Amino acid sequence: MSSRNKDLAFILEDFSKPSWLGSVSGHGAFDVIVSGFAIHHQTDRRKREIYKEIFDLLSPGGLFLNTEHVASPSKWLEKVFDEYFIDSIYEYHRAMDPKEKRARIAREYYKSPGSSADILTPVDRQCSWLRR
Ligand SMILES: C[S@@+](CC[C@H](N)C(=O)[O-])C[C@H]1O[C@@H](n2cnc3c(N)ncnc32)[C@H](O)[C@@H]1O
């Protein structure tokens, strides 16, 4: 599905299969392609294919900005990330309720299950695919 004016087109597509390129590639080449927290639902094999498809859609010197949920390379780094994240959630809640407890926020955070749709891959592995 697509609607288009001179400068802007909204296209609804599913990038889990290469067929998404059919409705997008005619609008390129692109100077910038942005993805936000979306590609981590794909298998690693499909992630690599998508990165190649995105590379082929970019104009020379174009940018791919990918904000993603990734796997930590070690348990230690995962813990460091989790604790900073809890600090930040805690500060947010404490601004609204000065009686809020960090321990309560941490309990809730560690209790919440990750999404079963997540397929998290370390960032360095994904960067090496992107470089290739
Ligand atoms: C967690 S939301 C992130 C939303 C927004 N990009 C952001 O950063 O706040 C994930 C988004 O990825 C989209 N998405 C996930 N899998 C997709 C797929 N196979 N094809 C197209 N979009 C997909 C979802 O529709 C959703 O909008």
Side-chain angles (χ1 to χ4, degrees), residues 13-25 46 49-50 53:
E13 271 292 352
D14 174 2
F15 57 64
S16 66
K17 300 200 174 58
S19 53
W20 74 286
L21 293 165
S23 31
V24 173
S25 53
R46 183 66 194 132
E49 291 171 355
I50 290 169
E53 289 159 6

Side-chain angles (χ1 to χ4, degrees), residues 34-40 64-70:
V34 179
S35 175
F37 301 105
I39 296 172
H40 67 275
F64 173 41
L65 303 178
N66 189 20
T67 306
E68 258 306 357
H69 192 186
V70 298

